Amino acid sequence: MTSMRLTDLPIGAHAHVARVSGNPSHTSDTTLDRLGELGFIPGEPLQLLRRGPGGREPLAVVIGETMFALRWLEAHCVEVNPA
């Protein structure tokens, strides 16, 4: 199965986290650690509920039983496998 970025997932789609990674020049280790602490770990199911104005940010994502609002930069760090 081909993975994609959470930012490319269609609204309403379900997926599983493949991995969390970032571009070192744009993403801090703190951001990646925070995503892991929130539950964005490999294998976890998630759903992209909606996007903010203009279809961009924030992205409303449910992972487990919790909804999070992620900035585009954070969401772009999450690779997913569509369900």
Side-chain angles (χ1 to χ4, degrees):
M1 185 178 294
T2 304
S3 65
M4 62 193 306
R5 295 289 176 176
L6 177 55
T7 50
D8 297 324
L9 196 66
I11 294 172
H14 292 265
H16 289 86
V17 176
R19 70 184 186 128
V20 176
S21 64
N23 180 334
S25 64
H26 294 98
T27 311
S28 70
D29 288 340
T30 303
T31 297
L32 299 178
D33 290 345
R34 179 177 170 268
L35 288 168
E37 290 168 359
L38 294 176
F40 291 87
I41 55 175
E44 284 297 312
L46 61 79
Q47 181 183 17
L48 177 61
L49 294 181
R50 61 177 91 56
R51 297 174 189 272
R56 201 142 153 96
E57 63 180 29
L59 284 79
V61 180
V62 172
I63 189 155
E65 296 183 18
T66 308
M67 184 187 318
F68 294 99
L70 298 180
R71 295 176 301 171
W72 191 91
L73 181 63
E74 296 166 330
H76 192 71
C77 293
V78 181
E79 284 187 41
V80 299
N81 292 320

